[in-house]
Amino acid sequence: MKLRRVSGVAIKAFLALVLLGHGATAATSSSGPKLPQLDLTTYPSQVFWLVISFVVLYFLVAKLAMPRIAEVLEERQERIEDDLDKAETLKKEAYQVRIEYEKALSAAREKAQDATRHAQEEIAKRSAEAESAAQVKVTVMLEEAEKRIAASKTGAEGTSGDPVSSLERSVAQEVVANAVQKLIGVDVTAADIDAAIAATLEERPQ
Amino acid sequence: MASPVDQFKLKTLVPFEVGGVDLAYTTSSLWMTITVVAVTLFLTLSMRGGRLVPGRWQSLAEMSYEFIANMIRENVGTEGRKYFPFIFTLFMFILMGNLLGMIPYSYTFTSQIVVTFAIAITIFLGVTVIGIVLHGFHFFTLFVPPGMPVVLAPLLIPIEVISYFVRPVSLSVRLFANMMAGHTMMKVFAGFTAALGILGIAPILLLVALTGFEIMVAVLQAYVFTVLTCLYLNDAIHLH
């Protein structure tokens, strides 16, 4: 950039010198200096009007233009600083809010975990209770059923014909239906049970 | 064909004479006046709205202001603030004068050596006075390069003194020569265009490029003049 400027000036200076030389040779052939800038008679007027123009411009710029520009720039600067301050406080506030939010979030998460754990424990406890109760019931029923079967066996050995009385049959039907319903959750009809009992009796060695 | 330097001739618009001294209002004076009006209008009208988010004109005015403010801050420092109005006026005056000179049929008053020299010598004297007022006799240590071996003093001090006193000449000639050479060159190419007829298209294309180049030179030279003023002021305020 600097080099280019220098070379540009050099070219121009050369051109100016050529022209000046031309002016000088022309001046020797004709009369007076050819280059108007060297005409001394114009100097007082130019300097006079230069001083007036410059002084007038100085006062116009210094007293009229510059205070206004400075005022506008200062106003803008203040506004920017103000806005930056505001942004800073808002940022701090937002940070605070975020921290609080995170605290609340972690507390809620803990609470939720607690609740889940409690619920799981409760579920496990209740299901264990229910299971043991069902176990007890089933054992009792089985024992009863076995007793009845034993009783009916002894009874059946004594009687002839139908090995199972109708009363016994109906009681057995009821017990089995109940037990099956409780154990595997299937509804069985009386006919099914009859068939099952008949099959069992058939298999039994006489 | 008119000589390419005829464009620098001054035409008297309003004759004016004081005590036998010709102080006529000429084309140069007219364009100085136009410059004053243009700078003032530019800097005031653009700021009339004073909007928080500036428009194009307001941006330009603010940019000029901040450009010079930064220039002074970087080259002179905080002590330079006092001279901000002067340097800003100087920059705007030369810049507007150079740019208005690019308008066809206008007059470029910065192409007159007497104008640039008057400005430069005023700056030179002003800066020297500031230096002497601030530092007294100590100001003359400006001519002694720091860390100079005593043996070299008889050689270096004259060089420093000469380079100091050449400042107004180099400052004024730089601006004057750039303006004059640029405008002369454009006139020469314009003359070729007129003389060549249909073939004149080639110099016209060159002239277009040259016009752009000259606008750049107009801005650049205003900047150079101002920045050198700042550097001289810095020397006077801070010595080395």
Side-chain angles (χ1 to χ4, degrees):
Chain A
M1 179 67 207
K2 200 173 178 187
L3 194 79
R4 213 170 356 143
R5 192 200 303 167
V6 169
S7 66
V9 170
I11 290 165
K12 284 180 171 180
F14 175 72
L15 225 143
L17 275 177
V18 168
L19 288 161
L20 275 169
H22 172 77
T25 49
T28 50
S29 59
S30 67
S31 59
K34 252 289 167 102
L35 199 67
Q37 280 96 330
L38 299 178
D39 182 0
L40 294 177
T41 59
T42 65
Y43 283 14
S45 137
Q46 290 198 68
V47 173
F48 176 73
W49 291 107
L50 170 68
V51 170
I52 289 181
S53 311
F54 197 88
V55 169
V56 168
L57 184 64
Y58 178 83
F59 280 102
L60 285 172
V61 167
K63 304 290 170 212
L64 195 73
M66 285 178 67
R68 179 82 185 114
I69 300 176
E71 185 193 334
V72 169
L73 289 178
E74 214 164 283
E75 217 170 274
R76 180 173 313 144
Q77 192 60 34
E78 267 167 27
R79 173 71 181 271
I80 289 170
E81 270 165 21
D82 215 47
D83 284 0
L84 281 178
D85 278 355
K86 222 181 272 169
E88 193 59 40
T89 45
L90 282 177
K91 200 177 144 190
K92 271 185 197 153
E93 256 171 51
Y95 182 70
Q96 206 61 40
V97 167
R98 203 185 121 184
I99 283 181
E100 271 165 27
Y101 161 78
E102 268 170 12
K103 245 188 237 163
L105 191 68
S106 66
R109 205 172 278 149
E110 231 164 76
K111 219 169 160 187
Q113 273 172 348
D114 259 12
T116 318
R117 207 173 44 236
H118 272 300
Q120 274 170 345
E121 276 168 10
E122 190 73 13
I123 289 167
K125 211 169 92 186
R126 282 204 196 159
S127 71
E129 268 171 19
E131 217 172 286
S132 61
Q135 200 76 44
V136 168
K137 232 181 190 173
V138 167
T139 332
V140 167
M141 276 180 177
L142 275 177
E143 268 170 18
E144 250 170 47
E146 267 168 19
K147 262 186 214 156
R148 264 192 228 162
I149 288 166
S152 67
K153 225 195 259 173
T154 47
E157 271 161 9
T159 57
S160 58
D162 192 1
V164 182
S165 71
S166 62
L167 181 69
E168 279 172 337
R169 189 178 288 259
S170 75
V171 168
Q173 272 172 359
E174 205 182 311
V175 168
V176 169
N178 267 332
V180 167
Q181 165 71 32
K182 281 256 162 72
L183 283 174
I184 60 172
V186 176
D187 279 319
V188 280
T189 56
D192 288 334
I193 295 169
D194 269 347
I197 288 172
T200 313
L201 288 176
E202 206 91 347
E203 276 168 33
R204 204 168 60 174
Q206 293 296 318
Chain B
M1 195 181 80
S3 161
V5 292
D6 277 355
Q7 58 176 320
F8 302 115
K9 271 186 186 157
L10 290 165
K11 280 190 218 90
T12 299
L13 300 175
V14 184
F16 180 48
E17 213 177 62
V18 176
V21 182
D22 180 23
L23 299 178
Y25 191 81
T26 61
T27 34
S28 161
S29 325
L30 173 68
W31 284 93
M32 285 180 192
T33 312
I34 292 173
T35 298
V36 171
V37 172
V39 169
T40 309
L41 288 182
F42 166 55
L43 290 180
T44 52
L45 288 187
S46 58
M47 298 304 293
R48 213 170 36 174
R51 271 165 301 174
L52 204 64
V53 179
R56 289 176 205 172
W57 285 103
Q58 195 185 329
S59 260
L60 271 177
E62 286 175 8
M63 269 163 66
S64 319
Y65 180 95
E66 290 188 315
F67 179 61
I68 300 301
N70 287 335
M71 189 192 283
I72 294 173
R73 197 178 310 127
E74 280 162 23
N75 292 307
V76 190
T78 44
E79 299 95 328
R81 271 212 75 83
K82 264 195 288 188
Y83 310 105
F84 185 20
F86 174 78
I87 290 172
F88 188 47
T89 308
L90 179 74
F91 176 70
M92 292 311 291
F93 188 68
I94 296 174
L95 177 70
M96 194 60 86
N98 289 353
L99 286 176
L100 287 176
M102 289 306 296
I103 300 172
Y105 300 105
S106 73
Y107 192 87
T108 321
F109 59 80
T110 45
S111 68
Q112 286 278 352
I113 180 72
V114 65
V115 171
T116 60
F117 189 75
I119 300 174
I121 197 79
T122 310
I123 290 165
F124 175 77
L125 292 177
V127 160
T128 309
V129 167
I130 288 168
I132 291 175
V133 166
L134 282 180
H135 303 287
F137 185 74
H138 196 64
F139 173 69
F140 295 102
T141 58
L142 186 64
F143 301 130
V144 185
M148 174 191 68
V150 185
V151 198
L152 287 176
L155 184 66
L156 286 182
I157 290 176
I159 291 175
E160 289 285 327
V161 172
I162 291 168
S163 76
Y164 187 78
F165 284 98
V166 159
R167 278 175 178 184
V169 177
S170 63
L171 189 60
S172 56
V173 168
R174 185 180 297 107
L175 177 58
F176 147 75
N178 265 287
M179 288 301 118
M180 191 192 78
H183 284 264
T184 309
M185 208 150 52
M186 291 180 69
K187 199 72 162 190
V188 168
F189 281 108
F192 287 164
T193 308
L196 285 174
I198 186 70
L199 287 175
I201 189 83
I204 274 208
L205 290 178
L206 213 66
L207 209 54
V208 171
L210 212 54
T211 305
F213 183 72
E214 281 310 314
I215 289 173
M216 189 199 81
V217 168
V219 177
L220 196 68
Q221 287 306 319
Y223 166 73
V224 168
F225 201 98
T226 318
V227 95
L228 283 172
T229 303
C230 286
L231 291 177
Y232 296 163
L233 190 60
N234 182 49
D235 272 356
I237 292 175
H238 298 116
L239 296 182
H240 286 297

